[in-house]
Amino acid sequence: MMAVAAAALLAIAPSRDSLAQRIQSRIAQEPGAVVGLAYLDLASGDTLFLNADSSFHAASTMKVPVMIELFRRSVTGSFAMKQALMLVNHFASIVDGSAYALDPSSDSDTTLYHRIGDRVPIDTLLRLMITRSSNLATNTLIALVGADNVNRTMRSLGAQRMQVLRGVEDGKAFEKGLNNTTTARDLAVILRAIEEGRAAAPTATREMLGILTAQEFNEKIPAGLPAGTRVAHKTGEITAVSHDAAIVYPPGRKPYVLVVLTRGIADGNRSSKLIADLSGIVYSYSIIKSGSILR
């Protein structure tokens, strides 16, 4: 009887081709959408890459590399996570060093602006950077660790195309096309490194996972999953750009990494729904696939 059940599961188990077709069919419902997707299943070893090496504006997904660099530097003793930094709202453009300030109304977290002039612990800034996507925290922390150092660390982890050049709202840099960029494959590479304890010391990567799991913006990849599914992830969005990069933990098995990058969809609700739908397609595939292998 067990053999019959196993054979039946194998018969209905989807192929990567069918997964790709379902994903492409859903993307085709959004005229003008450009999507980069990377899927790495740490349970089955299955992978799927669609447009995964195309470069996208990174938006707030670039905050994950900054987090990795912060933990690596803290482990070496460059600073302590409990060390407090004076919080200011003036930063230097990478173009000419001229000063600019962040607009609180453009930041997803406004609470930190009430603390300007105070000393704020690095670990508090880090959590706000990831869980609330605070731009003020991000610029403060990039100034601390240095964008060049972040990029060197990304190369050491195998992320070859990701570029962290600057903080947020550097208007002069934006006008010159000097933007933070990433690919779906590179984000998948660094998320896998975090999950496998290779991005920094194992204790540090466990802390990273805890922070990513506390993400407060859950309308994209988590929205396509069964309620209660654990997800460690970071979203990002700017005008007509919407992303989510996640480690998904289905119950009773190893996780998978899913990164979905999009551009060309002006309506943020539609881009979020697209990412959620693709997440649901991948989840269903991964569950059936891993079930057939386990049996």
Side-chain angles (χ1 to χ4, degrees):
M1 194 69 179
M2 289 291 291
V4 172
L9 255 176
L10 285 168
I12 64 171
S15 67
R16 268 185 299 180
D17 288 344
S18 68
L19 174 62
Q21 288 165 3
R22 290 186 65 197
I23 288 171
Q24 290 167 335
S25 176
R26 177 61 183 89
I27 294 169
Q29 296 175 29
E30 298 294 338
V34 178
V35 176
L37 182 145
Y39 163 63
L40 308 172
D41 194 322
L42 304 184
S44 67
D46 212 356
T47 62
L48 180 68
F49 298 101
L50 297 174
N51 202 28
D53 295 314
S54 292
S55 183
F56 287 74
H57 192 300
S60 288
T61 64
M62 50 76 73
K63 296 168 185 178
V64 178
V66 176
M67 175 180 69
I68 292 172
E69 183 64 17
L70 278 162
F71 272 105
R72 289 169 71 108
R73 293 281 291 280
S74 70
V75 168
T76 64
S78 297
F79 48 77
M81 283 295 191
K82 294 297 183 184
Q83 179 179 329
L85 304 177
M86 178 64 71
L87 191 64
V88 298
N89 186 14
H90 55 81
F91 304 95
S93 171
I94 63 169
V95 174
D96 58 8
S98 59
Y100 70 95
L102 301 183
D103 178 2
S105 67
S106 298
D107 201 329
S108 57
D109 174 75
T110 58
T111 63
L112 201 54
Y113 291 86
H114 300 296
R115 302 180 69 176
I116 289 173
D118 296 339
R119 302 187 72 83
V120 181
I122 291 171
D123 58 357
T124 298
L125 295 170
L126 169 58
R127 286 183 175 274
L128 287 171
M129 177 178 73
I130 299 297
T131 64
R132 294 287 303 164
S133 210
S134 167
N135 292 336
L136 182 55
T138 301
N139 282 23
T140 303
L141 295 174
I142 289 177
L144 174 65
V145 299
D148 288 344
N149 293 325
V150 174
N151 289 326
R152 276 192 288 271
T153 293
M154 293 307 99
R155 299 298 175 269
S156 74
L157 294 174
Q160 299 302 322
R161 295 177 176 83
M162 179 181 288
Q163 290 282 351
V164 177
L165 299 180
R166 59 174 176 84
V168 184
E169 292 188 37
D170 184 344
K172 288 186 176 179
F174 179 80
E175 290 170 3
K176 290 184 175 293
L178 299 174
N179 297 316
N180 302 315
T181 57
T182 191
T183 68
R185 188 187 301 271
D186 276 359
L187 278 168
V189 164
I190 65 171
L191 286 176
R192 181 174 188 171
I194 293 173
E195 170 60 28
E196 295 179 340
R198 296 182 288 104
T203 53
T205 54
R206 285 194 294 272
E207 288 189 58
M208 291 184 212
L209 290 172
I211 295 169
L212 290 166
T213 303
Q215 173 62 244
E216 295 184 25
F217 303 116
N218 295 304
E219 69 281 1
K220 298 177 185 178
I221 285 176
L225 305 173
T229 304
R230 182 186 171 207
V231 187
H233 71 119
K234 181 70 191 79
T235 59
E237 57 186 52
I238 56 172
T239 304
V241 169
S242 184
H243 309 322
D244 204 354
I247 307 166
V248 178
Y249 298 85
R253 50 152 285 180
K254 289 184 178 180
Y256 62 82
V257 174
L258 176 64
V259 177
V260 185
L261 309 181
T262 76
R263 64 170 175 261
I265 305 173
D267 185 335
N269 291 327
R270 291 189 69 88
S271 56
S272 292
K273 182 64 164 59
L274 171 60
I275 294 172
D277 287 352
L278 297 181
S279 173
I281 291 169
V282 170
Y283 183 87
S284 296
Y285 168 88
S286 70
I287 292 301
I288 295 173
K289 190 75 171 179
S290 64
S292 68
I293 289 171
L294 290 172
R295 287 165 176 78

